[in-house]
Amino acid sequence: MNITTRCAWIGRMLLLVFLLAVSAGTSWGAEKVVRLMTTETDPNSVAALKGIIAEYQAAHRDVSIQPEFVAWSDIYKRLVATQAAGDPPDLVTIFEAQVSVLVDQGFLLPMNDVVEKIGKQDYFQNLLDSVTYKGKIWGVPSILTVDVLWYRKDLYEKNGLKVPKTWSELLHNIRTLHRPPDIYGNAIALATGLATDDFTVHSRIWSNGGTLFDKNGKVAVETDEVIEAMEYIRELAKYAPPGAASYGHLELINAYVARKVAHTQYGMRILTHIQRLAPDLLETTGAFLLPRGPRPGGRQVSHLWLKAWAVPKNAKQPEVAKDFIQFLETGDREVRWLHSVPIHNWPPRKSTTTSGAFLSHPLMKTPLGREAVNLVGEAISHGVFPTLETGVFNPKMPVVLEARILSKLAQRVVLGNTPPKEAVSLAAKELREVVAEK
Amino acid sequence: MKRRKNASLAFLIGAASATVIVFPVVWMILTSVKPFQELFAVPPLLWPRRLTFEHYRQLLELTNFPLYFRNSAIVAVSTTILSLSIASLAAYGLTRYRFVGQETLAGLFLFTYMFPPILLSIPLFVLITRLKMASSYLGLIMAHTTFALPFCVWLLRAFFQSIPLDLEHAAWIDGANRLQGAMRIVLPLAYPGIIAAGIFSFNLSWNDYLFALILMVSEEKKTLPVGVSLFVTGATVEWGLIMAGSVLLTLPILVLMTFVQKFLIQGFGAGAVKG
Amino acid sequence: MVPSFLVVAGLVLYPLLYSIWLSFQSRHIFSPTGRFIGLANYWTLLNSREFWESFKHGAIFSTVSVALQVFLGVVLALLVHRQFWGRTVIRGAMILPFIIPTVVAILVWKWMLNDLYGIINHWLLSLGLFGEPVQWLSSPGIAMATVILINVWLFFPFVLITVLARLQVIPVELYEAARVDGAGPLRQFLHVTLPQIRGVLFIVVLVRILWMFNKFDSVWLVTEGGPLGATQHVPIFTYLQAFGQLNLGRGAAAATLLFVFLSLIMVLYFHVFRPAEDTL
């Protein structure tokens, strides 16, 4: 092929590409296009959502719902980009911890009407409180997750241990089962990241009766409750695998599945992983709530996490979006949506939690499944949302969490050998800085 | 004799280095055919005890993998063609003409690499949305070309510079015009450089995550890296799907590279510089 | 040629200038407008210990990575330039790290380096080289080395491909002449090869330095800047400011400071390593 022919080919290819690109800009021809952005990227969740969308579209022929699945860690980037371009999606999954930030920027529409239509009384009150800000409800609760401690029942039996209710009981059990290098006492997350912030540090502070802020929004972290919690974390870290400083969500699951730790902390999602990666562990695994600390305010806790549907203010089809949420979050559709990650995805409404349809998932019928289901109920009653740690909504919490101050605190104590009291003072200073600016 | 010994030595060192370098990829391939239960066995298993193609099946059936593949291919091929065309012209201009501010212009090109892409991506997205090109192949192609171009220009420039002008002069004397002279003399001699620049552009586009994430909003236009990353949420990794997806993602490029390498050797043979 | 330049220039200049403009504002990341505050962001950054720490980490990371990438790339390019059996396969193998998507490559590396179920520690322990699993990612000291190692693995093929291409157009006669003059392999390399690949090395080293200073995901995905901030460099700092602290203005300022620094580096680089004159 000589040069001129080659050039002609290049020219043709460019033309083809151009045409393709232009044609790619055409829309679907439906009257109303609703763009939905969600972080539920589990293939089962994707399939469930697409099925529900198909049903809705069949009943509403003039609507086309286009779902977009975004990885959890990328959702902020996407939202910022679409907001900057003035073209946000019509529906987006938000976490309860993001509400105050988004509302302060005028990004969302209130969702009171949808909640009323579905039945406000039916929702767990603390869930609604977590998405209530400035007197309005900003998200329709969709999926609730809790976290608990998972343990090796067989090892407990072999060593005559009982399920711990206090910190010292748990530490005793961990020490007894710590037999490196065959098995380590517990897996603990210490990498810079949300797992460390939420699971390791925040939950343990709460379990000793401490909080980061007081009811007036002032930094209240320099207390004995918190200092003791950091000392406790330092102890726990001694009985963790050597690489714990690099552990995040993933390693908490994998360490347990690899049978190298006797305890780990996670949500119910670990069940599906155990089922797939090490099914024999299903019979020898149990779970319990985080035990309480020694202080008078100490209590058993669970870290709660809520995903809710929100509609951005500049959405093009807010009414259709709201109608779709109502469709999705009721009846058989809701059950299918929740069942896509069984037991981990917990319903936000009381009637669903007791409904036969919801409780009929096969995983829930297994012994461990049943135990887990019961535990979730307990976890919710002992559960704490970061924004509601004092009972009063704290709008500064999102920024605090994103600044990873708690991860740094844990790392300073465990890796940097900083005395807990000093590390906590440093954290207090950082908290004050972060809060002062926003 | 000495040549044979040198060749064997080269082979040994080459094979040893290659094995070490390639090991993570081997791990990836082996994992993609391991059943779930063997993934986190302790002590870790290198070879699967049981082979399974379950992950590949799931990947192709349950996800939009073929669609992502098509999108990535369209964008990457177009980016490569576009970058190479523009870069060749630019490099030729910079080496065969002299004009004021030449060096500065070439240097300015490199500004693209001096800013973190994450911050550039948002205003770029705004710009592209205003031009109504969001989620269009053209928008992403242009973004990728923008990032591939500076390096391609500089690389081709380095190659073109080493080709003496006398050869082109000879062609001009023979009656060829500027363009034909360039095509017949310069391009063949710079072929390896063009191939290298092509590989670079293709790879930049094929593996780009950030711009594909920000600029391609709609589901049907997603490219492979974004699609594969969906199997990694903050808390879960669909190991099987990811490994299988990555193998299928990498395989075509490997085939392409091998094919291109043969071409490289041929090209060199065809346009060898002789005196 | 000129119109395409303009399009490309527009696509780069507009975001660049826009970001610089942002750096003079106090602006929340979700907000469409910001408040002009002049140099306040810059002042805060220049007085921030964390910023300078990030900068230091970035400098170490970039220089060491690039040095190793170039060394490895050049040496291996020279190796696979020779004729030997199996050359094509080995060449293909060596560029694999470059063509694997970064996300996956890092996942695989983290898996292999894990202390409990990672194969690398398993082998090191079995060979008796270490008594305990190596803290690849959990020790602040070693983490930076691990990040550098992974980045060298990911990007040395870039150097290899470009240098190899250049090697292939070096006229064979030059080597013959040198051999006739009695030069051994080392002299041949220094007097024939090196001057020939100089032009390509110039641009490769420059681009790699610029890229490594600005590379985000190949560090973030490994450690998110930890442990204890040991691997936090400027792009991560920028990201945490903009998307973590939601302070877009300050993130843009950090990026601009890096930009200014890199421009200075580039000017210096050009002065010291002026490329070969244009042939005309």
Side-chain angles (χ1 to χ4, degrees), chain A residues 200-338:
Chain A
T200 307
V201 184
H202 223 170
S203 306
R204 292 196 201 271
I205 291 179
W206 293 334
S207 69
N208 204 22
T211 54
L212 294 183
F213 296 88
D214 65 17
K215 287 193 194 237
N216 300 315
K218 288 253 178 308
V219 174
V221 81
E222 287 172 289
T223 56
D224 289 331
E225 280 83 354
V226 175
I227 295 175
E228 254 172 33
M230 298 317 297
E231 284 167 356
Y232 188 61
I233 292 175
R234 194 176 48 181
E235 263 316 288
L236 292 175
K238 292 193 185 134
Y239 304 99
S246 64
Y247 281 13
H249 287 109
L250 224 54
E251 287 79 13
L252 286 176
I253 299 179
N254 292 344
Y256 188 79
V257 160
R259 298 173 179 80
K260 293 295 277 185
V261 292
H263 298 82
T264 191
Q265 186 177 354
Y266 210 77
M268 298 288 158
R269 201 187 279 264
I270 201 174
L271 287 171
T272 21
H273 286 269
I274 296 177
Q275 200 178 31
R276 245 198 308 188
L277 300 168
D280 54 300
L281 277 182
L282 277 178
E283 280 150 49
T284 55
T285 301
F288 52 82
L289 288 182
L290 249 69
R292 63 169 194 275
R295 289 270 143 193
R299 55 201 162 128
Q300 287 183 305
V301 292
S302 175
H303 191 285
L304 296 181
W305 224 38
L306 179 69
K307 286 178 240 189
W309 293 107
V311 176
K313 193 148 79 154
N314 298 327
K316 303 216 169 60
Q317 299 286 351
E319 291 313 312
V320 183
K322 288 183 177 179
D323 193 51
F324 178 69
I325 301 175
Q326 209 187 320
F327 180 74
L328 167 63
E329 293 294 336
T330 48
D332 162 67
R333 281 94 39 195
E334 189 197 5
V335 172
R336 285 196 330 239
W337 177 232
L338 294 169

Side-chain angles (χ1 to χ4, degrees), chain A residues 105 192 242-243 247 254 402 411, chain C residues 28 31 115 117 135 224 228 244:
Chain A
Q105 293 304 316
T192 315
Y247 281 13
N254 292 344
E402 291 291 342
Q411 286 176 354
Chain C
H28 190 280
S31 151
D115 54 332
Y117 45 79
Q135 309 256 32
E224 272 197 30
L228 226 48

Side-chain angles (χ1 to χ4, degrees), chain A residues 35 79-89 107 313-316, chain B residues 125-126 129-130, chain C residues 32:
Chain A
R35 287 161 46 218
L79 278 181
V80 167
T82 53
Q83 174 73 335
D87 191 28
F107 189 63
K313 193 148 79 154
N314 298 327
K316 303 216 169 60
Chain B
F125 177 69
V126 173
T129 309
R130 296 234 174 93

Side-chain angles (χ1 to χ4, degrees), chain B residues 18-19 21-22 25 254 261, chain C residues 88-97 156:
Chain B
T19 315
I21 289 168
V22 146
V25 182
L254 200 58
Q261 277 194 79
Chain C
T88 325
V89 171
I90 290 182
R91 258 191 206 167
M94 287 196 182
I95 62 170
L96 270 177
F156 85 86

Side-chain angles (χ1 to χ4, degrees), chain A residues 398-411:
Chain A
V399 189
V400 165
L401 292 175
E402 291 291 342
R404 301 279 188 262
I405 294 175
L406 296 178
S407 294
K408 288 192 211 157
L409 173 59
Q411 286 176 354

Side-chain angles (χ1 to χ4, degrees), chain C residues 239-266:
Chain C
Y239 179 80
L240 289 175
Q241 286 292 316
F243 291 89
Q245 308 265 1
L246 308 178
N247 189 336
L248 188 57
R250 195 158 313 150
T256 310
L257 279 176
L258 185 63
F259 173 72
V260 168
F261 171 74
L262 290 176
S263 312
L264 290 173
I265 293 276
M266 188 172 92

